[in-house]
Structures are given as C-alpha cells and as structure tokens.
Amino acid sequence: MASKKKYGERVENFSNKAARELLSLIEHKKTNLSLALDVTTKREFLEIADKAGPYICLLKTHVDILVDFDQDFIEQLKELRTKHEFMIFEDRKFADIGNTVKHQYSKGIYKISEWADITNAHPLPGDGIVSGLKEVGLVLGRGLLLLAEMSSKGSLATGAYTEAAVEMARRHKDFVVGFIAGRKLISDDDKEDFIVMSPGVGLDVSTDGLGQQYRTPRNVILESGSDIIIVGRGIYGSDKDVAVEAQRYRDAGWKAYLERLAN
Ligand code: 5BU
C-alpha cells in the first residue's frame, strides 16, 4: 500500500541527515521530481541543470560520462545546488567488496562522497558493500539507496533478490535511506520507512530501443507507491524545452502524490 503520509511527516522516521533534508525539501519545494542528467559536457550539463533547477528536488548525476569533468565542475554544481535548493544523487551503482567501494566512493578523480548527498549500490556483493560505503558516508551525513529493482527489460533484480535487498536495508537503517525500485516494497508501518525512487519514467514514449521501459508519473507514484520520479530524456531530450518539460513532470508527479494522499 502506498504511504498516505505527507513527505514532511516522514522526516521523523529517519535518523539519516540526507533523508531528513530530502523529505523536508520535497515538502516545501513541492516537487518529487529528480532530473537524470546524462549529458557528456560540462557546458550542457550546467545549462540544463540551471533551467530545470527550480522544479526538482534531486539532481541525479553520472559524473563519469563527462568528457571534461574537473574540480570546477563540482564547484559550479555546488553553486547551482545552493541557488536552486536541490540535492545531488550520484547514480554510481557501486558493486564491489566493501574495501574497494570505500576507495571508489571517497578517492579517485571524482571524490563522490565530498559532494553527493546520496549515492547507490547493488546489494549483489552482500552486506560488506554497505558497511564499506557507510564507513565513509555516514559521518558526512550521506545516504545510500540499494538497487532493489531496475527499470530495464530482463532485469535479474526481482523476487528473492529484491526481498534480500529489503532485508539488507533493514540491517543498515542509519545509512540506507531507501531503494531504487518501481514500487513501494514494504507495507505501511509506523516504525519503518524507506524512500523509493523510480527511474524509467516518461509521458511520451514507452521504450528507448535499448531496453529502457517507461511508465507514467501517475503509475509510479499513485498506483505503485513510489516517492520520487526520476526523469531524464523526457526532460532534456532533443527538441525539448527543458523548463517547460521539467514543469510538466513536476506537475504530473505532484498531482499523483496529492491524489494518493486523498485516496
Ligand atoms: P532516461 O533518460 O529517463 O531513460 O534516464 C534514466 C536514468 O535512470 C539513467 O540515468 C539511468 O542510468 C538511470 N537508471 C535507469 O534508467 N534504470 C534503473 O533501473 C536504474 C537507473 Br538503477
């Protein structure tokens, strides 16, 4: 069952700083839209982020696809974060043993833990992946999402695997704040809460020819009980007016949430 609680009322369910901040931000900015900004140059990225900024709660990045990534990019990203009041989610999909992911998270060129409020990991390697990331991220107030499901056709993250992801999250509630999934994964319970974010959201097309599968904001938020819609090419794809499309998805996501509360 989808949560009947307002985003703001759920803040108290979390000890994690990033989760609390995100739910408060969604409540006051009135948007459950995350932009998945998969462009490959700094200039394009920063331009689009500036246009969509007023309408999103969370900017989802893949910094390793930028051909001209540098420290200046991070500085400018942080400026936009403050200007528009959104949070940052690096969709890194860590998938290695704890010791390795600890370094991948904090070191290398990207130093993800320094600027990303939220990142994510595959539960595949077992609890060590969460423990390793937690060693770095918890003191910095960061949060982690586990990939319990994927939006792509033929995904193997189903059934017992998805259930095991939920159990893993339950063992690390201070750091694991939620899931990437297509639906709410636990039944309503006052004692536990996880934030569910769903990629594969689009209003105009149903696939991308490479296995992506799109559902509507209404389907994801109202019918499936997810909390945040993640939209990429639906907003910045060719011939799109970024501000117009961002508002359109913001409105659709929020309307579905209000309907869920009223139902
Ligand atoms: P799109 O342009 O709206 O299709 O972009 C979707 C984004 O979400 C893209 O950055 C993917 O890497 C990301 N994604 C996804 O599409 N499906 C998943 O299951 C996960 C992430 Br996890």
Side-chain angles (χ1 to χ4, degrees):
M1 263 297 96
S3 176
K4 296 278 182 201
K5 278 196 177 168
K6 292 183 177 175
Y7 291 108
E9 291 168 349
R10 294 167 59 189
V11 172
E12 64 184 32
N13 296 344
F14 293 84
S15 62
N16 183 275
K17 183 169 171 280
R20 294 175 63 92
E21 199 181 327
L22 181 59
L23 289 166
S24 308
L25 175 61
I26 294 173
E27 180 77 39
H28 95 253
K29 203 170 167 184
K30 294 190 171 22
T31 171
N32 52 20
L33 171 64
S34 170
L35 171 65
L37 192 36
D38 297 345
V39 293
T40 57
T41 65
K42 266 168 71 175
R43 189 182 55 78
E44 274 178 291
F45 186 104
L46 295 165
E47 259 176 43
I48 295 170
D50 198 22
K51 285 183 188 151
Y55 313 108
I56 63 173
C57 58
L58 191 63
L59 182 61
K60 190 176 84 57
T61 58
H62 279 301
V63 281
D64 58 351
I65 68 174
L66 288 167
V67 294
D68 49 359
F69 174 88
D70 58 8
Q71 192 54 36
D72 171 66
F73 171 77
I74 295 301
E75 297 312 319
Q76 294 204 53
L77 180 60
K78 285 182 184 164
E79 275 170 32
L80 288 178
R81 180 191 193 284
T82 307
K83 176 179 172 188
H84 295 299
E85 258 196 295
F86 53 68
M87 293 175 71
I88 301 168
F89 165 22
E90 166 59 23
D91 188 2
R92 173 62 179 74
K93 300 188 181 74
F94 291 103
D96 213 320
I97 60 167
N99 186 59
T100 303
V101 296
K102 202 170 79 178
H103 298 315
Q104 290 173 323
Y105 189 22
S106 59
K107 299 282 181 359
I109 301 170
Y110 304 117
K111 300 178 180 57
I112 294 164
S113 61
E114 287 183 9
W115 49 267
D117 302 286
I118 292 172
T119 190
N120 57 358
H122 288 287
L124 186 78
D127 283 64
I129 190 168
V130 179
S131 306
L133 294 169
K134 185 154 73 173
E135 273 189 19
V136 171
L138 194 61
V139 288
L140 298 171
R142 308 307 188 202
L144 183 73
L145 303 171
L146 287 178
L147 286 112
E149 293 181 329
M150 291 192 71
S151 62
S152 41
K153 193 167 191 308
S155 164
L156 304 180
T158 60
Y161 183 91
T162 302
E163 283 167 30
V166 173
E167 289 309 316
M168 191 179 289
R170 286 184 165 134
R171 291 190 290 272
H172 302 273
K173 276 185 192 158
D174 50 349
F175 187 53
V176 178
V177 301
F179 304 103
I180 295 287
R183 61 199 164 93
K184 190 175 195 297
L185 297 171
I186 59 164
S187 52
D188 255 342
D189 178 341
D190 283 345
K191 286 188 232 60
E192 85 172 340
D193 198 354
F194 291 106
I195 301 169
V196 178
M197 306 192 190
S198 301
V201 174
L203 284 163
D204 306 317
V205 292
S206 59
T207 57
D208 70 350
L210 286 174
Q212 177 68 294
Q213 306 175 112
Y214 292 110
R215 297 154 68 209
T216 65
R218 185 184 164 83
N219 185 231
V220 166
I221 300 286
L222 177 65
E223 291 158 21
S224 302
S226 174
D227 299 307
I228 292 182
I229 52 170
I230 298 176
V231 184
R233 287 163 288 178
I235 291 174
Y236 69 81
S238 58
D239 302 330
K240 305 259 185 203
D241 179 324
V242 170
V244 169
E245 295 301 327
Q247 281 184 63
R248 181 171 168 238
Y249 280 96
R250 189 263 324 255
D251 291 348
W254 201 254
K255 184 164 169 264
Y257 159 68
L258 292 179
E259 256 186 79
R260 181 167 105 187
L261 289 183
N263 257 340

